[in-house]
Each structure stands twice: as structure tokens, then as C-alpha cells.
Amino acid sequence: MTDIATRATRVVASPGGRRRLNGGGPRAGTIFAFVIPFFLPFVLFYLVPVGYALWQSARVVRRTGGQYGTSYTTFGGFEQYGKVFQNTEFWSSVGRIGLFGIVQVPVMLFVALVIALLLDTPLLRLKSVFRITAFMPYAVPGVIAAIMWSYLYSPQLSPVVDLLNNVGLKPDFLGPGAVLWSAANISTWLWTGYNMLIMFSALQSIPQELYEAAKLDGANNWTIAWQIKVPIIAPSIVLTTVFSIIGTLQLYAEPAVLRQISSNISSTFTPNMLAYAVASGNNYQQAAAISVVIAVITFVLSFGFMRLTSKRAGL
């Protein structure tokens, strides 16, 4: 009896025994119940629109009987993509957004890193107040932020412009050479706090014993910050950089709002604005092709950056 009881106990205690006693483990219905809340919106709001854009980009509008003849839509292969690559406005917008990203992304991430390091230092007081203050702009919708900054940029309304004019600086935030950086300033103000929070969360996971050991070796706060903290949170910095690259190529709200008060922003100022302008002209096939090209460029840049940083880190 003792041997039988012992064997039964082992069967119950073993993983396989638990599954048999519990009726064969989790059922497929239970698994689907947890997967469907993610999978269904993913299919409806991501895969279906992407598939529809690809399908539209492969179609062209033809006419029978000349310019005023009957129009019909048919399969055109890569014809729409050929038009995109031959469109000078598209490449101008890509070059403009590339310049935007080369300057704005490093500045924003550097400011976010500095704020995160300051919040992590024991010398700073009222950390919760500073953290909320830095993160607060992210809670403002992008369109509202652009409207607010438009007021500050406007020569007729802005008290900031009036103050700078009184001291002889005479800025033109909406001029042809400055309007791109005015939009970059709005994006930096909006997203610095978001990136700071990601970096600060990574800093909080670093064991305090590392800092204590570094201080015993004679390291000061500056050395600890740049030689210990920054290398450890490098994956978080890479992550925020990838997010920033994606966000840069999706830039729309800031220049679209500034366009209402500045003649130096055209309807094709960014690739997304160009796609919207083409779609507004009922050329949905061309707009879909532009959107697909933007998506491919975004994937190549973000994936390429991740591969490059992984190789340098030896991962």
C-alpha cells in the first residue's frame, strides 16, 4: 500500500500527472479567448488596411475614347510605383524629412537622456515634480500642441516674437529657412518626455550595488552616469531611436497645422502630406503607392539601424 501511495503521489506531483488530473490541460477555446482580443483588432485595423493599400497600389485608371471618355480601373502592376519614383515632389519631401530626422532625432534623444540621468541622480530634489513636468507635454494631443505653438510663432499674435523684436532680434519662425525647424521644435517638445520615461525606467532597473562599487573605485557622479548608466541602458536608447525614426517618417500634424499660417509649407511638404494631397485629388491608387513606399522606407531605416547597432554591440 505504501508503494502504491508513493507512486500515486509522484504521478500527481509530476507535470504530466497534473495535466491528467486536471482534464488534459488548457483547452483550445481558452487559448483563443486570450488571443482574439489582440488578434481581431490586429487583423481588422492593420493587416486589412495594409492589404487594401497594396491592392490599390497595383491598380490604374484607364480611359476609353480620349480624355473625356469612360474611365475604368484595371490591374497595372508596378506602374504606380514607377510614377512615385519619378515624382520630384516625393523625393523633395523625403529629402526634407530626412534632414528633419538627422537633426531633430539626436537632439530630442540627447535632451531626453540628460533629463533621465538628472532624475536618476540622488542629488536632485522634487524628482516626482520634475518627472511629471517633463512628461506632461506628451499628454497634449499633437494637433493641440501645434496650434499652441502656432500662436507663439505668429508675428501678429505671439508675445515671444514681440519681446524678441523689442530687443532687436526680429525672428521669423515661419520663414522659408526656419519653418522646418519650428515644426521640429514642436515634435521635440512633444516627444522628449515620452523618450525620457523609457530611459528613466531602464535606469531604475540597474542594481544599486554597481554604483556603490564604482564609488569605491573612485568614480564620481559624472563618470557613473556616462560610463556605467548609459552603456547599460543602450538597448532603451536604441528602442527610442527606432520609434523616433518611424515617427519622423510619419510627420504630418505639425506642418499641416503650421501650413494654415505660413505660405512656406506646401501641401507636399512631407511624404504623408503628399499622400494625403494626392488622395484628395481622388487618385487613391497613386496615394496608396506613396504610402507603401513610405512604409518600406520606414522598415528599411528602422531595421537597418537595429542591425547596425546590434553588430556594434556584438549581439
Side-chain angles (χ1 to χ4, degrees):
M1 291 293 292
T2 303
D3 294 339
I4 296 175
T6 302
R7 287 197 298 270
T9 302
R10 289 175 180 173
V11 170
V12 173
S14 66
R18 289 195 191 96
R19 285 195 294 269
R20 287 193 293 271
L21 292 177
N22 290 334
R27 297 180 179 179
T30 305
I31 297 175
F32 284 125
F34 285 99
V35 172
I36 286 177
F38 162 78
F39 187 72
L40 189 60
F42 178 76
V43 171
L44 291 178
F45 302 109
Y46 184 79
L47 294 182
V48 171
V50 169
Y52 183 71
L54 289 171
W55 179 73
Q56 282 278 25
S57 66
R59 298 172 67 79
V60 294
V61 176
R62 309 286 190 196
R63 291 186 180 276
T64 58
Q67 182 178 358
Y68 300 101
T70 303
S71 63
Y72 64 97
T73 305
T74 185
F75 179 77
F78 294 100
E79 181 176 336
Q80 295 291 358
Y81 294 100
K83 293 179 180 178
V84 172
F85 294 132
Q86 295 173 4
N87 191 340
T88 57
E89 291 183 337
F90 173 76
W91 291 114
S92 297
S93 65
V94 170
R96 194 177 295 114
I97 210 68
L99 179 62
F100 177 98
I102 289 173
V103 176
Q104 188 267 340
V105 170
V107 170
M108 175 182 63
L109 295 182
F110 178 77
V111 174
L113 178 61
V114 170
I115 296 175
L117 292 172
L118 289 174
L119 290 174
D120 192 60
T121 181
L123 303 178
L124 184 66
R125 298 180 179 180
L126 301 174
K127 291 184 180 181
S128 60
V129 175
F130 284 105
R131 185 166 62 249
I132 293 174
T133 303
F135 184 73
M136 193 175 296
Y138 177 67
V140 179
V143 175
I144 302 301
I147 293 174
M148 180 184 68
W149 279 97
S150 297
Y151 169 77
L152 297 176
Y153 290 150
S154 175
Q156 294 79 20
L157 302 174
S158 174
V160 176
V161 174
D162 289 340
L163 178 63
L164 294 176
N165 285 335
N166 291 334
V167 298
L169 294 180
K170 300 186 182 301
D172 185 9
F173 295 116
L174 302 175
V179 69
L180 179 66
W181 310 118
S182 296
N185 177 65
I186 300 174
S187 296
T188 303
W189 182 82
L190 268 173
W191 293 98
T192 297
Y194 171 82
N195 294 302
M196 175 275 301
L197 191 63
I198 295 176
M199 298 177 189
F200 180 71
S201 300
L203 288 170
Q204 294 295 290
S205 65
I206 301 176
Q208 295 296 318
E209 290 79 5
L210 288 177
Y211 305 150
E212 296 173 0
K215 289 180 180 179
L216 290 176
D217 290 338
N220 55 28
N221 290 327
W222 178 266
T223 303
I224 291 174
W226 295 105
Q227 295 187 14
I228 296 178
K229 293 182 178 181
V230 173
I232 291 177
I233 67 169
S236 297
I237 298 175
V238 171
L239 179 65
T240 55
T241 304
V242 172
F243 287 164
S244 300
I245 292 172
I246 296 172
T248 297
L249 289 165
Q250 293 178 345
L251 185 69
Y252 179 84
E254 292 85 350
V257 173
L258 292 179
R259 184 169 180 258
Q260 306 303 316
I261 61 172
S262 174
S263 59
N264 295 304
I265 297 180
S266 65
S267 60
T268 61
F269 193 75
T270 68
N272 268 354
M273 293 180 67
L274 173 62
Y276 180 80
V278 172
S280 299
N282 295 327
N283 193 349
Y284 301 113
Q285 296 79 18
Q286 181 72 19
I290 294 172
S291 302
V292 171
V293 173
I294 295 172
V296 172
I297 294 175
T298 302
F299 173 78
V300 170
L301 290 178
S302 56
F303 182 76
F305 178 80
M306 292 185 67
R307 291 285 295 176
L308 178 63
T309 52
S310 298
K311 287 182 178 180
R312 288 187 175 182
L315 299 176

